[in-house]
Amino acid sequence: GRVKRYTFAQECVPEDFDGCKIAFISDLHYPSLFTHKRLGKLVRRLQKEEPDMLLLGGDYVTDNDSINALLKSLSAVKAPLGTYAVLGNHDKRNEVPIRSAMSENGIELLDGTARYMLFDEGGEMSIAGVYDSFAEDTLFAQHMERAGDSDFVILLSHNPDFVEHNSITADLAFAGHTHGGQVSLFGLYTPVKNTRYGRRFLRGRNRTTNGVTMITTNGVGTSRHKVRFCVPSEIVVVTLKCEKTEGDRKIFTNDDD
């Protein structure tokens, strides 16, 4: 796998969060092509990054027996601002034990709720998470409008389509589910996309009609078929910068792969 790095610079990033490093992983489907050995490597790689915040985008396990082992391993990544999670479509059948294991391991599940952070300089950031990212949820959209009073709003949604389809407003969104297609012919043709919007939110950095900058990760594991081709598994790392911009333009760069 790889570490996909971005820098997000925007005037509304509170000074307290300048330099804040956010790590994001999704779609582990543990165990799959993502094995026990690779889980250990993932945890060590995340620890090496020393993120201030860790976000988990859903679709965690392939069977009940793996839930505690996975979440206990991920809890070894100590992010000072916390670890936050949402559920994916494959997690519904295991929702009760997943919720319990998250609670036991200090992982905060954002199931249609938001977490607010207020720091010394008065800057506020809110992190909201979608419970069912495959539903049309006008109530959550209204909730996001209220969260928009914060200086900086992060949205965590398993499915990227939710953000576009519900006209959500946020500064930065993280999503998974698509696996980046999992198999692609050198980036030119992707047979299975798992998104109603074609290639638009398939992978990487994109922007919704409502102006939300969204990162869709290739994910970590695999589903259905234990194969990846031209779509590497990845950890996403975003560094926030409080910088003046020209008008409303947001500076968002890919630093490296």
Side-chain angles (χ1 to χ4, degrees), residues 55-122:
L55 303 181
L56 309 178
D59 280 2
Y60 299 105
V61 297
T62 57
D63 58 70
N64 267 353
D65 294 337
S66 303
I67 293 171
N68 289 326
L70 173 66
L71 296 180
K72 184 177 181 180
S73 293
L74 291 177
S75 70
V77 182
K78 304 301 183 184
L81 296 180
T83 298
Y84 304 94
V86 292
L87 299 177
N89 53 300
H90 287 276
D91 300 321
K92 297 300 182 180
R93 63 181 180 271
N94 302 316
E95 182 173 345
V96 172
I98 287 175
R99 283 178 176 271
S100 177
M102 284 185 174
S103 178
E104 290 175 6
N105 289 286
I107 299 170
E108 185 170 340
L109 180 62
L110 300 172
D111 52 352
T113 58
R115 172 68 179 270
Y116 298 90
M117 298 181 182
L118 183 65
F119 285 85
D120 296 340
E121 299 298 325

Side-chain angles (χ1 to χ4, degrees), residues 17 20-25 43 45-56 71-85 105-108 115 117 119 125 127 236-238:
F17 296 96
C20 177
K21 184 188 286 188
I22 302 171
F24 171 52
I25 57 173
V43 170
R45 193 75 177 268
L46 286 168
Q47 290 172 326
K48 184 178 180 180
E49 289 294 326
E50 298 183 331
D52 297 294
M53 184 188 306
L54 176 61
L55 303 181
L56 309 178
L71 296 180
K72 184 177 181 180
S73 293
L74 291 177
S75 70
V77 182
K78 304 301 183 184
L81 296 180
T83 298
Y84 304 94
N105 289 286
I107 299 170
E108 185 170 340
R115 172 68 179 270
M117 298 181 182
F119 285 85
M125 176 165 67
I127 308 167
V236 167
V237 175
V238 176

Side-chain angles (χ1 to χ4, degrees), residues 131-195:
Y131 173 68
D132 185 356
S133 62
F134 293 84
E136 183 173 351
D137 195 338
T138 54
L139 289 177
F140 186 80
Q142 293 171 9
H143 172 75
M144 285 301 297
E145 289 178 4
R146 293 194 296 273
D149 292 336
S150 298
D151 294 324
F152 192 72
V153 181
I154 293 175
L155 175 65
L156 185 57
S157 172
H158 178 67
N159 181 7
D161 292 2
F162 180 92
V163 187
E164 173 69 17
H165 185 66
N166 289 278
S167 301
I168 299 295
T169 298
D171 293 294
L172 177 59
F174 294 88
H177 180 63
T178 67
H179 296 206
Q182 198 166 299
V183 172
S184 180
L185 299 180
F186 306 103
L188 301 175
Y189 172 66
T190 304
V192 180
K193 299 180 179 64
N194 287 324
T195 166

